[in-house]
Amino acid sequence: MRNGFVEEQPEIKRKLESMKQPIKVQHGPSNRVLEVDLTSGVCQVIKVSPQDRQMYLGGKGLGLKLIFERMPVGTDPLGEDNILALMPGVLMGTGAPCSGRFAAVTKSPLTGIMASASCGGPFGMQLKKCGWDGLLVRGAATNPTLLVITPEGAELESAEELWGKDTVETQELISAKKSGGALVIGPAGENLVRFASIVSAQRFLGRGGMGAVMGAKKLKGIVACNGSLKILPVDAVQFNATNKRARTYLKGMDLTSSKYPKYGTNANVNVCNAAETLPVNNFKDGRHELAYEVSGEVIAERHNIKPHTCKPCSILCGHKGTFGQKQLPVPEYETTGLLGTNLGIFDVNKIAEWNWICTRMGMDTISVGGTLAWVMEATEKGLVRSDLKFGCVDGISLVLQEIADCRNFGAEIALGSRSLAEKYGGTEFAMQVKGLELPAYDPRGAFGHGLGYAVANRGACHLSAFVAGLEIFFGLLNPFTIRAKAEWVRFFESVSNVVNSLCTCIFASYAYMFESPVTKHTPRPVLGLMMQYLPGLAISLTDVSIMSGHWSAVTGIKVTPSEFLEAGTRINTLERYMNTMEGVARKDDTLPARLLIESRVCDSEKRTVPVDKMLSRYYEISGYDSNGVPTVNTLKKLGIT
Ligand code: SF4
């Protein structure tokens, strides 16, 4: 700026010009998805039918359905036939709480089956403002490419000068030339690290190696620009009434109004440590006397934290803080667990530094941490040679860089813990399900959560069915029985799928469900008993009407809460069906042997997870056969053809 005039700054000038564009208003979704083929350079518009909208909602559900119709069984995740779907939900841009997220769906190079993820970066909002309800990317470019999305369509530009740059530099270079929302990969994605992430601002599509899918397509980044649409709900009266209720519930719940805003998700550290479900030393133990050092409460006290979140967000769980001399994002709870306590490390400055390396290189902190824990234990047992040791910070920064660059032993670590264990032995302590490394909740202290990991469609996923919420955080289900666990896993899978198809934040959904009057005002012991002994009744009283109300108000399509929840079941079942066509069956719905036969050091009761005892009931209520395959009748009932 010079003499108070902004015109001299080309960057600001361009932004002002784009702001001058006439703002067009769109009521509800555009029902237009852009499909881009990187091989041919051709793009086309897919019209979303009213039936698909109603059955698959948007976001993850719609992305999955579009891929199901287009991608053959047996597609190589790193081949050009794999499709990456990037899908904002219908709430994006409306101002509904925590609705600034978008979903991604693809076939995972880490697991070989379907993967989905959700991200709060700016790309989704800009895509939506361009008038696109989603983007499908297929094919592969021959040279490094930047995909530029506008309201008119797409253009391919050379990304030669971006290739090799980290995610921060790449986004800075893109934003110097184009105003909009970008998503990019770092060197890990370029080098096909099987757990490479995609980054938008400093939010992530973390799990399942989606960054490697982009890398295999030679796609360095995608930027959506020049969009100026304003999105309004079709039914403003219903939308405002639903919003009012949503905000009241968010304010009413301690987790969403106080704990997470103040301490972030690391507020979970002390809770999980007390419940002996904090992973320590590759899940050998469930608690540690130094855990408080990496708790949200201590980080807030010592590291001058400030909000650093998805936008827009009404909870603000993300933070940045001062670590050593640097301002860095505060690691999320899963990162603290997998890159910290599970490696025997309680130095938050180091965890923040490694988290930042993973951000810049574009790698999933859960999978990288889980795989490093396997390397440490395999080194102890003499299966591999490395300098890595539990409790020792030396060498970790270097090995993270080697993984991203696929150099030395890093090239093998980059394939994940399942692949390493298949080669060197030690499958019993490779802490993964279906190839995806475990998040930071030890299921020997939460049996229902363990069933959730075992059956989750993308592999060990804590968000697919967060039963630990009821078992550990709310204390409503006895964590050490199998009673009603299949029912709650099934219910939370449906909820998780509607949340990821609406593309709101899972944290908000807990407030919506458990702050509703019936649940809130039922005495806790009564509620707990009902949840365990009459799960069908308790589930029917759990309120999902804010989520269905938001969706109905924006789309103008009337659905009841139970029809809405059934859409979540349909999406989960379709994903399961796609995985079974790739060979997934009962044999894969299990946990690492350590959790089935070995107890935590801290547990005097020597408990392990009785997955098999819960599995048959789960299949029965899900409408799967005894091998875990959805029956013809189930598919027909849900309208999956
Ligand atoms: S609560 Fe956290 S994860 Fe959820 S939308 Fe807000 S910042 Fe993102």
Side-chain angles (χ1 to χ4, degrees):
M1 188 181 291
R2 200 185 62 182
N3 299 331
F5 294 99
V6 293
E7 285 82 356
E8 297 299 318
Q9 291 266 2
E11 168 62 14
I12 295 173
K13 187 175 174 185
R14 198 156 32 78
K15 280 188 182 149
L16 287 176
E17 276 168 1
S18 76
M19 284 163 64
K20 279 188 218 149
Q21 290 177 6
I23 294 174
K24 291 188 201 142
V25 171
Q26 175 187 292
H27 288 87
S30 71
N31 291 318
R32 294 161 76 240
V33 173
L34 185 66
E35 182 178 35
V36 179
D37 187 329
L38 295 174
T39 307
S40 63
V42 170
C43 47
Q44 59 171 326
V45 179
I46 300 166
K47 283 292 289 174
V48 179
S49 70
Q51 193 190 14
D52 276 356
R53 173 63 68 196
Q54 184 145 5
M55 289 175 74
Y56 293 96
L57 306 178
K60 175 189 169 180
L62 189 56
L64 194 71
K65 172 66 168 26
L66 295 173
I67 291 179
F68 176 59
E69 291 169 340
R70 286 164 177 76
M71 196 170 80
V73 176
T75 293
D76 174 3
L78 296 177
E80 62 177 322
D81 288 341
N82 195 7
I83 297 174
L84 174 65
L86 298 156
M87 310 288 298
V90 301
L91 297 188
M92 174 72 85
T94 62
C98 305
S99 59
R101 302 181 68 84
F102 62 97
V105 188
T106 193
K107 194 171 181 188
S108 161
L110 182 65
T111 63
I113 52 178
M114 296 312 296
S116 62
S118 151
C119 171
F123 171 78
M125 183 72 86
Q126 294 304 325
L127 185 67
K128 191 89 180 175
K129 282 182 156 185
C130 287
W132 302 111
D133 275 349
L135 171 68
L136 298 193
V137 184
R138 63 192 315 165
T142 39
N143 297 308
T145 296
L146 176 70
L147 175 58
V148 183
I149 307 294
T150 64
E152 289 74 41
E155 279 172 27
L156 302 179
E157 293 185 6
S158 168
E160 292 284 358
E161 81 285 5
L162 301 175
W163 203 252
K165 302 266 190 289
D166 72 30
T167 62
V168 176
E169 286 175 285
T170 304
Q171 292 186 84
E172 281 170 3
L173 288 166
I174 291 173
S175 71
K177 291 190 181 160
K178 300 185 191 303
S179 59
L183 54 79
V184 303
I185 58 170
E190 295 171 14
N191 294 323
L192 310 185
V193 172
R194 299 303 192 268
F195 40 78
S197 58
I198 297 174
V199 183
S200 181
Q202 283 165 27
R203 314 302 290 182
F204 311 94
L205 294 162
R207 307 235 64 198
M210 294 183 173
V213 173
M214 278 182 63
K217 293 182 181 303
K218 283 272 187 290
L219 185 58
K220 180 65 179 174
I222 310 176
V223 56
C225 37
N226 299 341
S228 57
L229 272 184
K230 187 173 169 52
I231 317 291
L232 293 178
V234 171
D235 184 341
V237 175
Q238 186 189 0
F239 182 78
N240 291 338
T242 310
N243 251 3
K244 195 172 163 198
R245 215 152 52 92
R247 291 187 193 283
T248 307
Y249 290 4
L250 286 170
K251 272 194 205 132
M253 181 174 265
D254 184 48
L255 188 78
T256 49
S257 64
S258 172
K259 261 196 158 169
Y260 277 4
K262 271 198 222 154
Y263 307 125
T265 51
N266 286 313
N268 296 0
V269 170
N270 286 336
V271 179
C272 288
N273 196 45
E276 301 182 338
T277 56
L278 185 74
V280 175
N281 296 346
N282 201 26
F283 287 83
K284 286 183 213 157
D285 211 344
R287 71 160 184 241
H288 198 282
E289 60 185 14
L290 291 178
Y292 71 92
E293 287 280 346
V294 294
S295 67
E297 290 81 345
V298 167
I299 295 173
E301 193 185 302
R302 296 181 187 165
H303 294 273
N304 189 25
I305 67 169
K306 298 187 174 62
H308 182 59
T309 68
C310 312
K311 292 187 182 70
C313 171
S314 309
I315 301 174
L316 310 175
C317 81
H319 297 94
K320 59 185 172 184
T322 309
F323 297 92
Q325 303 301 313
K326 292 184 191 155
Q327 275 277 306
L328 297 175
V330 175
E332 298 288 342
Y333 168 70
E334 307 302 329
T335 307
T336 302
L338 273 302
L339 272 181
T341 64
N342 198 41
L343 303 181
I345 288 160
F346 301 88
D347 178 345
V348 77
N349 288 309
K350 281 288 168 194
I351 302 168
E353 181 189 320
W354 300 331
N355 181 46
W356 186 235
I357 294 175
C358 291
T359 298
R360 286 186 13 248
M361 296 298 113
M363 293 194 288
D364 173 24
T365 51
I366 300 180
S367 278
V368 81
T371 308
L372 287 179
W374 180 91
V375 173
M376 288 178 179
E377 190 162 347
T379 304
E380 271 180 358
K381 291 184 157 70
L383 297 175
V384 297
R385 287 178 61 188
S386 84
D387 297 328
L388 300 179
K389 282 194 264 227
F390 288 113
C392 176
V393 300
D394 298 342
I396 293 187
S397 299
L398 178 66
V399 86
L400 289 174
Q401 192 61 56
E402 287 184 344
I403 296 169
D405 296 340
C406 283
R407 262 190 296 126
N408 304 328
F409 191 36
E412 290 195 60
I413 301 176
L415 300 174
S417 60
R418 178 172 70 178
S419 168
L420 283 166
E422 281 168 359
K423 180 167 178 187
Y424 294 102
T427 50
E428 67 282 8
F429 60 85
M431 305 307 288
Q432 52 80 28
V433 175
K434 301 184 181 84
L436 191 73
E437 284 72 19
L438 252 73
Y441 307 90
D442 190 319
R444 287 167 295 188
F447 291 176
H449 199 70
L451 176 64
Y453 284 159
V455 299
N457 283 331
R458 70 174 180 178
C461 171
H462 58 299
L463 298 172
S464 168
F466 196 72
V467 186
L470 300 183
E471 294 177 305
I472 303 172
F473 291 87
F474 298 157
L476 289 165
L477 291 179
N478 180 343
F480 305 116
T481 74
I482 62 170
R483 188 187 302 283
K485 297 300 169 62
E487 282 82 352
W488 285 104
V489 168
R490 188 76 281 286
F491 170 70
F492 276 117
E493 283 178 336
S494 299
V495 170
S496 165
N497 276 290
V498 296
V499 167
N500 289 328
S501 300
L502 265 179
C503 296
T504 63
C505 179
I506 191 86
F507 301 145
S509 68
Y510 300 135
Y512 299 163
M513 289 187 289
F514 297 109
E515 278 296 304
S516 67
V518 175
T519 319
K520 191 175 168 119
H521 298 304
T522 305
R524 283 206 147 221
V526 176
L527 189 61
L529 284 173
M530 204 197 309
M531 284 179 163
Q532 291 179 82
Y533 290 91
L534 297 168
L537 177 63
I539 285 169
S540 71
L541 295 176
T542 306
D543 190 355
V544 297
S545 67
I546 289 190
M547 292 178 263
S548 61
H550 264 143
W551 188 87
S552 276
V554 174
T555 60
I557 303 169
K558 298 292 166 210
V559 285
T560 64
S562 63
E563 285 167 342
F564 190 67
L565 204 54
E566 189 182 52
T569 308
R570 179 179 299 114
I571 294 161
N572 195 65
T573 308
L574 173 62
E575 195 176 28
R576 174 75 187 186
Y577 179 52
M578 291 167 80
N579 284 348
T580 57
M581 288 197 291
E582 301 284 350
V584 165
R586 187 179 190 117
K587 64 179 174 14
D588 304 293
D589 292 337
T590 188
L591 294 171
R594 166 154 293 161
L595 304 174
L596 301 176
I597 57 178
E598 198 180 310
S599 63
R600 293 157 291 170
V601 176
C602 61
D603 183 14
S604 54
E605 305 277 326
K606 307 279 175 230
R607 281 169 284 227
T608 55
V609 190
V611 171
D612 249 358
K613 290 189 185 157
M614 298 181 275
L615 205 50
S616 296
R617 175 71 182 146
Y618 169 81
Y619 287 166
E620 186 191 325
I621 58 179
S622 302
Y624 301 169
D625 66 19
S626 59
N627 199 27
V629 179
T631 63
V632 173
N633 209 15
T634 302
L635 296 175
K636 204 167 145 194
K637 226 168 75 189
L638 292 169
I640 298 170
T641 51

